[in-house]
């Protein structure tokens, strides 16, 4: 009989301790240690410490002597998905896709499986739905005639036996939180079970070259459920975001060992499943026919492509108490910092005003290239002056009031030109060597000069 030992593992970082304590000394989180029963077999293999596949070789090899084997990526034939993955699925890789309930994770992956199954072996393993439920969804999506192999399993050992017997190219596991291993004496979904199951599937992927696509649950805070070490073990982690009240879905790359991170794919949820959006900028630019105060278009860079989005701002008198600074899709602390910069270097005070900022379409923008556009929208709402529809603004704002350059400035201007915008305010350091036909570009070095150019546009 295999002996077991009790440890306490952190659900955030995976660190283990011999006894319970209030704070994890590794990541600093409080009340995050959970009791884990670890067998001696598991402890010796290193899985209890969160170690993934380490191979079996003991010899040291020089980097220059390593011979690389070129591997052909497996296309999912869903172009937006392939874009986020960096060009397709890599043999032997493990991909984790997370998202809130109802976002469309299972729908997207059954569509992917049906496309891959046309030419290669693909197994869809579900631990949450019956085969009849999966078939019912496939009929609704119009893909019931595809050669996808289905299985309903929750024992990771049975999944491994199935893969070794059928030798498929791609295996979809829905979901990793319901899988369990007989080596662990805890319930499915616990820290030790999720870590052990992910470790065994990762080892199998590296040894056989099989591609595993795992579905992961999320917590109420929107983070991936389970130990944080799970994100370190896999090769690619993507999140399917579903803005409240919107039929659009954003597939965002969080981690990718074989491609660019922060890549964005856009889908529309229909009665026939998820459909790709070929021109994402168009859905984020559904503006009113008449120009309105507090609205301006900017160009943000998502992964490897530019994306046009609308920034809206509303400035209103304080209705008692302290002035509020609220932003949706933007960093609220950065918004407050920008207002201080405008006061210090341009003499415009909003101390008695509430300021609200929003990125339309439910998209979240993290890069600093939208700084100038955010302040331009705030200034427009404060002065109650509508900005022209053909104006695009981008640039990073420094604490000294200077407009700093942004990456890929020329590509952003080409996107502006392609969508028919005729005026742009951009950083001076992003000045192009050749003019852009049909676009009047104003290059500005400081925030005050940008507001001067804007006033000329408004009065002209």
């Amino acid at each position: 009989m295999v002996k077991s030992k009790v440890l306490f593992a952190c659900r955030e970082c995976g660190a283990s301790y011999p006894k319970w304590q209030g704070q994890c000394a590794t990541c600093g989180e409080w009340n995050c240690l959970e009791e884990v029963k670890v067998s001696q077999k598991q402890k010796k293999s290193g899985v209890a410490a969160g170690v993934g596949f380490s191979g079996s070789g003991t010899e040291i090899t020089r980097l220059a002597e390593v011979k690389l084997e070129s591997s052909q990526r497996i296309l999912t034939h869903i172009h937006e998905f392939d874009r986020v993955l960096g060009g397709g699925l890599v043999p032997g890789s493990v991909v984790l896709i997370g998202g809130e309930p109802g976002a469309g994770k299972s729908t997207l992956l059954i569509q992917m499986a049906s496309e891959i199954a046309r030419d290669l072996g693909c197994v869809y393993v579900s631990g949450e739905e019956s085969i009849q439920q999966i078939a019912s969804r496939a009929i609704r999506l119009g893909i019931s005639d595809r050669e996808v192999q289905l299985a309903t399993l929750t024992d990771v050992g049975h999944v491994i036996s199935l893969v070794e017997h059928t030798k498929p190219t791609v295996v979809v596991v829905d979901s990793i939180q319901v899988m369990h291993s007989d080596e662990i004496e805890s319930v499915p979904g616990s820290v030790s079970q999720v870590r052990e199951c992910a470790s065994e599937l990762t080892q199998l992927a590296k040894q056989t070259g099989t591609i595993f696509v795992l579905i992961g649950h999320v917590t109420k805070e929107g983070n991936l459920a389970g130990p944080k070490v799970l994100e370190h073990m896999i090769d690619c982690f993507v999140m399917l975001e579903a803005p409240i009240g919107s039929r659009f879905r954003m597939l965002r790359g969080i981690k990718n060992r074989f491609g660019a991170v922060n890549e964005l794919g856009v889908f529309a949820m229909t009665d026939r499943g998820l459909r790709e959006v070929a021109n994402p900028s168009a859905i984020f630019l559904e503006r009113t026919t008449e120009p309105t105060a507090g609205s301006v278009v900017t160009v943000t860079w998502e992964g490897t492509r530019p994306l046009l989005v609308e920034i809206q701002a509303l400035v209103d008198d304080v209705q008692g108490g302290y002035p509020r600074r609220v932003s949706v899709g933007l960093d609220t602390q950065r918004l407050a910092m920008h207002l201080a910069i405008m006061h210090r270097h341009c003499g415009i005070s909003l101390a008695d005003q509430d300021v609200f900022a929003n990125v339309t379409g439910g998209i979240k923008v993290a890069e600093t290239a939208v700084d100038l556009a955010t302040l331009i929208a705030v200034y427009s709402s404060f002065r109650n002056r509508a900005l022209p529809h053909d104006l695009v603004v981008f640039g990073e704002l420094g604490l000294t009031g200077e407009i700093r350059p942004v990456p890929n400035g020329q590509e952003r201007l080409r996107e502006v030109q392609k969508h028919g915008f005729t005026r742009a305010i951009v950083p001076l350091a992003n000045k192009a060597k050749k003019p852009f036909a049909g676009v009047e570009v104003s290059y500005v070095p400081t925030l005050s000069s940008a507001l001067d150019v804007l006033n000329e546009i408004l009065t002209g």
Side-chain angles (χ1 to χ4, degrees):
M1 184 174 180
V2 179
K3 296 182 179 180
S4 61
K5 181 180 179 180
V6 175
L7 295 176
F8 293 88
C10 175
R11 63 172 174 265
E12 298 295 333
C13 67
S16 59
Y17 303 89
K19 61 181 181 179
W20 187 89
Q21 57 191 49
Q23 182 183 32
C24 175
T26 303
C27 65
E29 292 293 328
W30 288 88
N31 299 322
C32 57
L33 299 189
E34 297 181 354
E35 183 177 326
V36 178
K37 292 184 178 180
V38 185
S39 66
Q40 293 296 322
K41 177 181 177 181
Q42 179 195 7
K43 184 178 178 182
K44 291 179 181 179
S45 65
V47 178
V51 179
F53 176 75
S54 59
S56 58
T58 57
E59 298 181 356
I60 297 177
T61 304
R62 292 176 57 194
L63 178 61
E65 297 175 352
V66 179
K67 295 182 180 179
L68 297 179
E69 297 179 0
S70 59
S71 57
Q72 186 71 26
R73 286 181 181 259
I74 306 299
L75 297 178
T76 66
H77 301 288
I78 302 176
H79 301 301
E80 291 293 298
F81 198 5
D82 287 333
R83 173 191 289 274
V84 176
L85 295 173
L89 297 166
V90 177
S93 64
V94 181
V95 179
L96 178 64
I97 176 171
E100 295 182 354
K105 303 182 297 296
S106 300
T107 299
L108 176 62
L109 292 189
I110 192 64
Q111 290 181 246
M112 179 204 73
S114 68
E115 294 292 336
I116 294 177
R118 293 182 177 186
D119 306 313
L120 303 169
C122 184
V123 176
Y124 190 100
V125 178
S126 177
E128 300 181 350
E129 296 178 292
S130 65
I131 292 180
Q132 289 74 20
Q133 289 175 313
I134 301 173
S136 175
R137 181 190 293 114
I139 293 174
R140 176 173 57 85
L141 301 178
I143 55 176
S144 58
D145 58 337
R146 306 293 169 82
E147 297 296 327
V148 181
Q149 303 177 69
L150 305 178
T152 54
L153 300 171
T154 57
D155 191 324
V156 71
H158 294 166
V159 175
I160 294 174
S161 299
L162 176 66
V163 172
E164 292 175 343
H165 177 70
T166 59
K167 294 180 172 59
T169 303
V170 180
V171 178
V172 178
V173 178
D174 184 6
S175 64
I176 189 61
Q177 273 81 12
V178 301
M179 293 292 153
H180 68 88
S181 173
D182 293 336
E183 299 293 334
I184 304 297
E185 300 179 8
S186 58
V187 298
S190 62
V191 172
S192 54
Q193 282 287 4
V194 172
R195 186 169 51 192
E196 172 69 11
C197 294
S199 176
E200 292 189 23
L201 295 179
T202 301
Q203 291 183 41
L204 182 63
K206 305 306 178 185
Q207 293 168 355
T208 63
T210 306
I211 301 170
F212 280 88
V213 183
L214 314 178
I215 292 180
H217 297 167
V218 297
T219 62
K220 61 181 180 180
E221 291 83 12
N223 300 320
L224 185 71
K228 195 68 176 178
V229 72
L230 177 61
E231 299 179 31
H232 296 279
M233 295 168 63
I234 49 89
D235 299 303
C236 181
F237 174 38
V238 297
M239 185 69 76
L240 187 63
E241 302 172 358
I244 299 176
S246 174
R247 67 186 183 95
F248 295 105
R249 304 289 188 266
M250 272 72 78
L251 186 67
R252 187 182 300 275
I254 308 298
K255 171 189 176 181
N256 195 348
R257 288 174 177 163
F258 311 108
V261 295
N262 291 326
E263 190 68 76
L264 185 70
V266 184
F267 299 86
M269 179 62 79
T270 67
D271 57 350
R272 302 285 287 181
L274 289 172
R275 292 291 181 264
E276 302 174 71
V277 177
N279 185 11
S281 295
I283 67 173
F284 298 120
L285 293 180
E286 297 178 354
R287 311 174 71 187
T288 59
T289 56
E290 295 295 329
T292 56
S295 173
V296 68
V297 174
T298 187
V299 189
T300 181
W301 196 265
E302 296 290 345
T304 58
R305 68 178 175 187
L307 187 67
L308 292 174
V309 296
E310 180 186 358
I311 304 290
Q312 292 184 343
L314 175 63
V315 179
D316 194 15
D317 295 334
V318 174
Q319 303 299 319
Y322 294 98
R324 290 185 292 171
R325 309 300 188 231
V326 180
S327 64
V328 179
L330 297 166
D331 188 351
T332 302
Q333 293 182 344
R334 198 166 184 85
L335 173 62
M337 181 179 68
H338 293 160
L339 298 179
I341 295 172
M342 187 163 64
H343 177 224
R344 175 66 176 82
H345 298 284
C346 302
I348 301 174
S349 176
L350 300 179
D352 58 346
Q353 303 287 318
D354 288 332
V355 179
F356 305 89
N358 176 47
V359 183
T360 61
I363 190 173
K364 296 180 181 178
V365 180
E367 71 162 355
T368 57
V370 301
D371 291 352
L372 182 58
T374 304
L375 268 190
I376 292 295
V378 170
Y379 180 80
S380 170
S381 177
F382 179 60
R383 297 302 189 194
N384 196 26
R385 299 291 301 277
L387 301 175
H389 266 183
D390 60 350
L391 175 66
V392 174
V393 180
F394 63 83
E396 179 184 349
L397 185 60
L399 288 177
T400 59
E402 83 278 13
I403 305 298
R404 301 177 62 83
V406 300
N408 307 297
Q410 307 304 308
E411 290 79 0
R412 296 175 197 250
L413 287 174
R414 293 192 188 96
E415 185 75 4
V416 169
Q417 184 184 41
K418 183 175 70 174
H419 284 82
F421 290 87
T422 60
R423 284 180 281 193
I425 302 177
V426 303
L428 178 62
N430 284 122
K431 188 172 184 178
K433 296 181 179 179
K434 297 181 180 179
F436 288 85
V439 182
E440 181 184 348
V441 183
S442 299
Y443 299 99
V444 293
T446 62
L447 175 62
S448 58
S449 60
L451 294 183
D452 292 337
V453 172
L454 183 66
N455 289 326
E456 293 179 3
I457 294 176
L458 294 176
T459 56

